[in-house]
Amino acid sequence: MNILNGAMARFPAGVLGLLAILTGTATAAEPAISGADGRVGLDVTVYNQDLALVREIRTVELPQGIFTLEFRDVPSRIDPVTLLVSGGGDSGFELLEQNYEFDLISPDKILEKYVGRKLSWLQEDGSRIEGTLLSVANGPVFEVGEEIVFEVPGRLALPTMPANLRARPTLVWLVQTRKSGAAELETSYLTRGISWTADYVLQLDSEGAEADLQAWVTVNNRTGAAFEEANLLLVAGDLNQVQPSRENLRMATAYMADVEKGFTEETLYDYHLYTLGRPTTLKDNQIKQISLYESQGLAVVKHYRLGSQPHFFRSLGQLSDRPRVMVSYSFANTSDNNMGMPLPAGVVRVYGTSTSGSRQMLGEDRIDHTPQDETCLLY
C-alpha cells in the first residue's frame, strides 16, 4: 500500500482526477446540491430583445474529492455553453464536466421511460391487470396477455419513478476539490426569454402649450425562472450577436435618468449601463414596470403639415383627392425645457384634456433614441 501511495503521489492532480473518473472509486454516491436558497448575490443585466446576462454568487457546501454537484433553479431558456464558473476559495474547486439536464417530469415523459417494461392497472375491486408498454408514439400501445390493446380499464400504476427525470432544468457538474467545506461560487450565463422596453405618457395641458412627461421601464420575464431580490441592470447599445438564422437581432439604444432609488448611468466601453438603485424581484411569466423619471412643464409646439402631389398645389379648382392635414407635437430635449437627457427608444402615448377636465387619448407614436439637446417630434 505504501508503494502504491508513493506512485500515486507522483501523478499530477488532473491525471488523478481522470483515473478517479474512469474507476469511479472517488465519485460521491449522493450529489451535492446548490439551489436558489444559497444565493448571496444576484445581478440580472437585461438587453432589449430576449437576452439577459445572469451573475450569481452562491454559498455551496463542497465535499472533498471528485463528486457530482447539481446547480438547480436555473432558467429553462439558459444557454449552457455561455456558463462561466469561478471561485471556490481555497477548496481547489475545478469543474471537470457539465451536463444540462432538461428531461422534465410529465405523464408523457414517464410513460416513455416505461416502454418495454411491465406495468399494471388498478381495478375497482382492488385487483390488478398487468401488461407491457410497447410504444407511446401517437398514443400508448400495450400488450396485455396475448392481445394488443390501446386502452385498458382501471388506473395506471407504475412501481417507481423512472430515473433521470427532473422537476426543473438543472446543471449537473462533475467537480474536483482538494478540501471540503463551505465556499462561494460565482457563475454567469446568458438566458433568453427576457427583455425591456421604454414607454412614455405625454399629458398636454388644456391649451396644448405645455405637457408633463412620465417614463417607464417595462421588463418582461419569460425565462422559466424567478430572480428574487436581484440587482437589475439595463444595457443600451447595438449588441452584435451570431445568429443561427437570417433573423437580425438588434438591441435598441437606450438611456436612463438618475432618480432617487431609480436608475444610475455609467459608460461601459462603447455601451451605457444603467443600474436600478434598489433590489427588485423578477417573477417568472411577469411583466414589471418601473418608474424611469418624470418631467413637468415641458414647452411643446403644435404643427400642421399638408403634403400631397405637386398638381394639388398648382390646381385652382376643386380636387377630389384632397389630402388630410397631419398634426404633430414637438418639444426640445434640453435642460432649459426641463428635460436634457437622452430618451430611450419606445412608444409615446399623448393625452389631452377636455373642457370638462377629463383625460382623452390623442394618439401615439414610436420614437427612436433621441440624444440630449435634440428635438423630439410626435405625429
Side-chain angles (χ1 to χ4, degrees):
M1 182 65 68
N2 292 334
I3 296 176
L4 179 60
N5 289 339
M8 294 292 287
R10 291 193 294 270
F11 283 96
V15 176
L16 289 177
L18 180 59
L19 291 174
I21 295 171
L22 295 175
T23 61
T25 58
T27 303
E30 293 295 330
I33 305 298
S34 174
D37 55 353
R39 286 174 178 161
V40 294
L42 177 61
D43 297 339
V44 180
T45 303
V46 185
Y47 302 85
N48 279 100
Q49 294 187 14
D50 200 41
L51 187 67
L53 173 65
V54 180
R55 173 182 172 269
E56 298 188 41
I57 301 177
R58 296 187 185 183
T59 299
V60 185
E61 192 68 34
L62 301 174
Q64 183 181 9
I66 298 209
F67 58 94
T68 298
L69 173 59
E70 295 187 359
F71 195 83
R72 298 177 178 178
D73 299 320
V74 297
S76 59
R77 300 193 63 185
I78 186 177
D79 186 354
V81 300
T82 63
L83 182 74
L84 180 64
V85 183
S86 61
D90 59 354
S91 66
F93 178 90
E94 183 179 359
L95 182 59
L96 304 177
E97 181 180 308
Q98 172 178 276
N99 302 282
Y100 178 48
E101 298 187 359
F102 51 92
D103 203 4
L104 305 183
I105 295 174
S106 69
D108 292 338
K109 285 292 185 180
I110 294 175
L111 281 181
E112 286 179 7
K113 302 294 184 180
Y114 267 86
V115 172
R117 298 175 59 183
K118 293 284 187 179
L119 34 72
S120 61
W121 293 263
L122 294 174
Q123 306 301 299
E124 291 185 0
D125 60 2
S127 61
R128 291 176 179 261
I129 297 177
E130 292 189 349
T132 302
L133 178 60
L134 300 180
S135 174
V136 293
N138 298 320
V141 180
F142 305 100
E143 182 182 27
V144 179
E146 297 181 354
E147 296 180 323
I148 304 299
V149 296
F150 301 100
E151 293 183 4
V152 180
R155 292 178 297 159
L156 184 61
L158 305 177
T160 59
M161 176 66 72
N164 302 323
L165 286 181
R166 297 189 173 275
R168 294 188 61 84
T170 303
L171 294 173
V172 181
W173 299 339
L174 187 63
V175 174
Q176 176 178 302
T177 58
R178 292 193 303 268
K179 60 181 294 187
S180 62
E184 287 190 353
L185 297 179
E186 179 179 339
T187 62
S188 62
Y189 51 83
L190 293 175
T191 181
R192 297 288 178 182
I194 188 169
S195 60
W196 73 275
T197 57
D199 293 279
Y200 304 88
V201 174
L202 186 71
Q203 175 65 59
L204 299 173
D205 64 6
S206 58
E207 303 297 329
E210 287 190 356
D212 297 335
L213 182 66
Q214 189 173 31
W216 293 86
V217 165
T218 302
V219 182
N220 190 347
N221 180 22
R222 302 184 187 274
T223 62
F227 304 102
E228 301 283 344
E229 294 296 306
N231 298 316
L232 179 61
L233 304 93
L234 307 176
V235 168
D238 294 327
L239 185 67
N240 184 59
Q241 292 184 281
V242 176
Q243 297 297 311
S245 64
R246 294 183 179 180
E247 181 183 0
N248 185 23
L249 178 63
R250 300 280 295 179
M251 297 300 151
T253 303
Y255 185 93
M256 299 299 171
D258 295 347
V259 296
E260 183 180 1
K261 293 188 178 180
F263 291 91
T264 57
E265 182 269 342
E266 64 178 286
T267 300
L268 178 67
Y269 298 94
D270 296 317
Y271 299 92
H272 289 283
L273 181 67
Y274 309 92
T275 305
L276 184 63
R278 53 180 173 80
T280 188
T281 295
L282 303 175
K283 297 180 180 179
D284 187 30
N285 293 323
Q286 180 191 61
I287 297 177
K288 177 184 286 289
Q289 286 191 296
I290 305 172
S291 177
L292 187 57
Y293 56 79
E294 295 183 7
S295 184
Q296 289 82 33
L298 278 70
V300 296
V301 180
K302 178 187 276 190
H303 308 273
Y304 296 98
R305 180 182 177 185
L306 181 64
S308 184
Q309 299 297 324
H311 69 268
F312 173 79
F313 299 98
R314 292 195 300 265
S315 175
L316 298 178
Q318 186 76 15
L319 292 178
S320 60
D321 61 344
R322 182 174 298 170
R324 294 183 301 170
V325 176
M326 296 292 294
V327 182
S328 63
Y329 286 90
S330 67
F331 61 88
N333 185 16
T334 62
S335 57
D336 293 339
N337 197 27
N338 299 320
M339 286 290 295
M341 59 191 71
L343 302 178
V347 175
V348 183
R349 293 170 178 86
V350 181
Y351 293 86
T353 305
S354 66
T355 54
S356 64
S358 64
R359 176 180 296 177
Q360 301 295 331
M361 186 174 181
L362 304 181
E364 62 183 17
D365 197 6
R366 183 178 297 276
I367 63 171
D368 291 327
H369 173 63
T370 304
Q372 182 178 350
D373 297 328
E374 291 197 3
T375 299
C376 185
L377 181 64
L378 306 172
Y379 286 97

